[in-house]
Structures are given as C-alpha cells and as structure tokens.
Amino acid sequence: MTQKNAGGRGRLMDELSSASRRYMASYALFNQALADHLRLHPTDLQCLNLLALERGPVTTGRVAELTGLTTGSATRLVDRLERAGYVTRERDAEDRRRVLVTLVPERMAEFGEVWQKLNGSWYAMFDAYSDEEIALLTTHMRRTVDLSAAQIERLRSGEL
C-alpha cells in the first residue's frame, strides 16, 4: 500500500476486502445449505438457477457454457438433474441431431416455493436501500459477474 493510500481510502479498501471475503463465504455456505435442503449438489443448484434465466430449452453445450464445465462434466450434471426430476432431455424438433435440456415446471415450482419462503428476508433487507443504492448494487453485481467470468478463465488457463 502506498503512503497516499495508507489513510482513509486504504482503510476502506481493507474493510471492503474483509467484507467481500465474508460475503463470498456466506454465499457459498448458503448455497451449500440450500443445495443440501433440496438434496442437490451446489453446482447443480446453480445450474438450475442459470437454466431458469434462459429463454427456453438449451443444449448440453449451453449448460457447459453457463457453468464453465467441460461438456463431459455438463453431461453428468444434466444426468443428475434428470435423475432428480428437474430436467428432461428431448430431441430438437428442428434438428434431430440436437438434444435439448428442458426444465420440468412442477419440480421448478417446488424449487420456487422454497426460494419464495426465503425471499421475504432478502426483500426486507433491500427495502432499507434507496433506488440509487439498489441501482449501484445491481451495477456492482453485473460487474462482479463479468469479472468473475474473466477470473475463472484466467484460473483455468493457468495464467495465474
């Protein structure tokens, strides 16, 4: 840390570093607890989350893109989700060579019910923020998603 940063900004950055580490750890632990509750692997839970954001059925290749897994690992993930009843595989009507992964609405509704029970606390927490602060948080989260993707690529490519 430079002498210039040793003061207020330096302390703020140190506090941000500690808070962000605790935030990431608490999210990982929350994700694990939710996955355990639903009897899923944490990666499978996040895959369901990402699939729910897609506009329709996707290929296993797209599952690999969304999760950053290899196609083989993505296939095994889809296998687990299919066994758990959260997805089905169907031949693409337009291209019979392609297999599409489709969410099962009834199972996703069950997932949604659990999430709905937890959402009230999240909404109450965010009610304390102004619209401008919510916009800032949203911008921060979007930037974090982009930076995380770049850092994941960096780690996987061995550039570290």
Side-chain angles (χ1 to χ4, degrees):
M1 185 180 310
T2 66
Q3 188 65 27
K4 179 181 175 184
N5 287 336
R9 177 73 173 201
R11 280 192 301 277
L12 280 173
M13 294 304 291
D14 287 346
E15 189 176 335
L16 177 62
S17 176
S18 294
S20 67
R21 289 173 62 192
R22 289 183 192 282
Y23 173 83
M24 288 185 286
S26 72
Y27 182 80
L29 294 169
F30 170 77
N31 187 63
Q32 180 68 59
L34 183 56
D36 289 347
H37 179 81
L38 294 170
R39 293 185 171 93
L40 293 170
H41 185 278
T43 302
D44 299 0
L45 173 64
Q46 288 309 311
C47 181
L48 286 175
N49 179 37
L50 293 169
L51 288 174
L53 295 170
E54 292 290 296
R55 296 182 188 259
V58 300
T59 63
T60 303
R62 178 67 178 146
V63 171
E65 290 172 16
L66 290 170
T67 59
L69 297 171
T70 64
T71 53
S73 293
T75 297
R76 288 187 295 281
L77 185 154
V78 172
D79 289 343
R80 290 190 305 270
L81 290 176
E82 189 174 39
R83 278 193 305 273
Y86 284 97
V87 301
T88 59
R89 287 183 172 110
E90 303 168 359
R91 290 263 176 225
D92 185 345
E94 295 175 17
D95 181 350
R96 301 291 297 161
R97 295 170 295 175
R98 288 183 1 147
V99 175
L100 298 175
V101 177
T102 304
L103 291 170
V104 175
E106 299 80 15
R107 289 293 281 161
M108 289 305 291
E110 293 170 17
F111 174 79
E113 286 173 20
V114 171
W115 190 246
Q116 199 62 29
K117 290 176 184 175
L118 298 169
N119 258 353
S121 299
W122 297 107
Y123 284 125
M125 180 183 73
F126 287 121
D127 277 344
Y129 295 104
S130 69
D131 290 352
E132 293 79 18
E133 290 170 320
I134 295 291
L136 175 66
L137 289 168
T138 301
T139 298
H140 166 73
M141 288 181 182
R142 286 183 178 136
R143 287 181 176 171
T144 299
V145 167
D146 293 342
L147 180 58
S148 292
Q151 297 290 49
I152 289 167
E153 179 60 34
R154 184 175 172 205
L155 286 165
R156 289 189 173 151
S157 70
E159 289 180 36
L160 192 65

